[in-house]
Amino acid sequence: MPAKVYYDRDASLAPLRGKTVAIIGYGSQGHAQAQNLRDSGVKVIVAEMPGTPNHALAIEHGFKPLSAAEAAAKAQVIQLLLPDELQKRVYESEIAPHMTKGKALVFSHGFNIHFGRIKAPADCDVYMVAPKGPGHLVRRTYVEGSGTPALIAVEQNPTRRAKQLALAHAAGIGAGRAGILETTFKEETETDLFGEQVVLCGGLHALIQAGYETLVEAGYQPEIAYFECCHELKLLIDLIYENGISQARHSISDTAEYGDFTRGPRIINAATKAEMKKILEEIQVGQFAKEFILENELGRPTFQKLRERGANHPIEEVGKRLRGMMSWLSGKKPAKRPADKGKPAAKRKAAAKRRSAKRTAEKKR
Ligand code: NDP
Ligand code: MG
């Protein structure tokens, strides 16, 4: 059965009326969700640590940041938008004492609830509003009048109003303009971790680097390797994002499309899929969560080393130099639009075909 999608017409903001929402942490998601909720007419207060850049940013945006404990004491809806690995500590020391009967504890990712690290009192609601996009996009789309889709989930519902509250909260950040889907903390946590590890971040970054290395090791120019294995990705991802994989295939050349069908499955093959399954199992049994928490407790020795190694990969230097040469990436005046740009992909391809047919006809003449 296809998932039910909720829109603004299904999600009244009324359940949030008269309530104060505390956004704990003014980072990527915090700055976006706090401002969107406020612009939607919800009463919002913010908690940030004094002396940090995000504390200053919150003030610049018109908030008066409090400590997490002060905000939790004042609000009825308390949303944890701290980094996942810090949430347990801040919750236990500053927020738990203020979780009185009927309040709601809100997350944008299920990690700490699903893996049992945070336990809210049984007489409090626990729900999730998880935008499916980075915070800066959540804010930008809202300001532009559209929105970023979001997932909602209810874990504890003693008030029997948690789902209506979650829908109102999601609509308040603008997700009702794009679509709100219901899930569970388990499904969101496991699929979110899987997606970022296997496809969106882990798989993609490794694929780009391995492709780049293969070309450079074979003696090709690093600049060419960068364009082929990294820069062009954005253009192709846009096609997939707009119309799906089949339509994207319609826009690439037949040469590319034939190579795609016959070579792609050699890169992502049965062994790769078996590894994906293993990674999913590590997520499901909590092995990844345990490893990540331990790594943080030890002061991130491996994490830091891997970050350094990533930042020192040769593709970074080449990419930096090339991106510096592309005026449209640095916010300067864009290059003149080619005549074809803006036409739908199918029309673009048809026009290209007509031009190519004309050239062939001319050559034959
Ligand atoms: P960020 O790291 O961007 O922001 C966290 C903020 O919390 C920072 O401003 C940090 O300050 C601040 N902070 C740290 N400790 C405290 C404290 N004790 N009191 C008050 N503020 C504090 O986190 P994200 O926005 O990326 O993530 C927040 C949640 O949203 C996570 O659960 C994440 O999984 C989820 N999420 C994130 C998405 C994203 O795109 N980033 C997408 C969907 C969900 P400082 O910077 O000074 O350390
Ligand atoms: Mg994620």
Side-chain angles (χ1 to χ4, degrees):
M1 203 177 60
K4 176 158 172 48
V5 184
Y6 299 90
Y7 294 96
D8 277 341
R9 60 172 178 272
D10 315 300
S12 157
L13 280 170
L16 278 174
R17 224 161 271 143
K19 293 194 194 300
T20 298
V21 177
I23 301 288
I24 315 290
Y26 204 73
S28 175
Q29 285 298 329
H31 92 287
Q33 298 197 39
Q35 291 185 93
N36 291 6
L37 283 169
R38 183 178 62 182
D39 291 350
S40 294
V42 177
K43 183 158 187 234
V44 178
I45 57 177
V46 160
E48 248 304 334
M49 286 180 300
T52 62
N54 288 336
H55 187 272
L57 188 68
I59 294 175
E60 199 184 308
H61 291 165
F63 291 105
K64 294 192 184 79
L66 307 165
S67 73
E70 287 167 333
K74 284 192 175 164
Q76 294 76 47
V77 175
I78 298 147
Q79 186 172 10
L80 287 188
L81 291 177
L82 304 165
D84 294 305
E85 69 278 6
L86 295 184
Q87 289 184 5
K88 178 183 163 74
R89 188 163 53 74
V90 176
Y91 176 79
E92 284 172 357
S93 62
E94 300 202 51
I95 294 171
H98 304 288
M99 290 308 299
T100 49
K101 188 177 175 188
K103 286 197 181 186
L105 188 64
V106 188
F107 295 83
S108 283
H109 179 34
F111 191 95
N112 283 288
I113 290 291
H114 178 61
F115 292 118
R117 297 185 23 95
I118 292 181
K119 292 208 190 311
D123 55 5
C124 291
D125 289 343
V126 175
Y127 67 86
M128 168 167 33
V129 176
K132 288 290 101 184
H136 297 87
L137 212 62
V138 172
R139 180 59 183 161
R140 171 149 50 96
T141 52
Y142 181 91
V143 171
E144 287 168 357
S146 61
T148 304
L151 307 181
I152 56 163
V154 172
E155 179 79 10
Q156 283 182 204
N157 187 17
T159 69
R160 309 237 155 264
R161 289 193 299 268
K163 182 168 170 188
Q164 293 316 311
L165 211 50
L167 276 171
H169 201 127
I173 64 167
R177 300 165 178 174
I180 304 166
L181 273 90
E182 193 170 3
T183 180
T184 60
F185 273 64
K186 173 179 159 61
E187 184 177 62
E188 187 276 339
T189 306
E190 293 175 352
T191 56
D192 187 80
L193 292 172
F194 179 82
E196 64 200 22
Q197 291 175 18
V198 167
V199 182
L200 307 175
C201 310
L204 179 64
H205 297 160
L207 182 68
I208 294 173
Q209 290 180 340
Y212 173 87
E213 287 165 11
T214 305
L215 285 181
V216 174
E217 283 161 18
Y220 296 98
Q221 298 178 73
E223 293 79 4
I224 305 287
Y226 180 83
F227 275 115
E228 293 303 335
C229 299
C230 184
H231 178 79
E232 281 199 49
L233 247 184
K234 155 92 173 101
L235 316 172
L236 288 157
I237 293 287
D238 282 352
L239 292 175
I240 296 175
Y241 180 79
E242 283 157 18
N243 290 305
I245 294 176
S246 287
Q247 236 357 81
R249 281 181 167 143
H250 185 72
S251 291
I252 60 181
S253 69
D254 287 354
T255 325
E257 192 178 355
Y258 181 75
D260 167 354
F261 288 129
T262 56
R263 269 54 180 180
R266 285 170 53 187
I267 298 302
I268 307 299
N269 52 30
T272 323
K273 236 179 126 184
E275 200 60 35
M276 288 184 180
K277 238 181 120 187
K278 245 165 86 186
I279 291 177
L280 180 59
E281 280 159 14
E282 289 168 13
I283 293 168
Q284 289 168 331
V285 301
Q287 187 183 328
F288 172 79
K290 215 164 132 193
E291 177 184 320
F292 181 57
I293 290 158
L294 183 67
E295 174 68 15
N296 278 289
E297 282 167 357
L298 293 175
R300 301 186 156 193
T302 308
F303 199 166
Q304 304 286 20
K305 233 177 272 155
L306 293 173
R307 255 195 193 154
E308 238 162 75
R309 194 189 299 168
N312 290 329
H313 190 283
I315 197 172
E316 296 305 318
E317 190 273 317
V318 181
K320 198 169 167 207
R321 199 152 33 78
L322 289 175
R323 288 190 302 273
M325 286 159 43
M326 293 185 256
S327 58
W328 61 95
L329 291 181
S330 49
K332 287 186 211 135
K333 216 171 155 210
K336 216 169 161 231
R337 274 163 75 95
D340 268 346
K341 232 189 158 184
K343 281 188 196 167
K347 277 201 183 148
R348 242 175 4 239
K349 195 176 182 192
K353 274 209 170 131
R354 274 197 304 278
R355 278 197 302 272
S356 135
K358 203 170 149 203
R359 273 198 303 275
T360 318
E362 275 164 1
K363 257 189 250 160
K364 279 188 188 142
R365 252 189 269 133

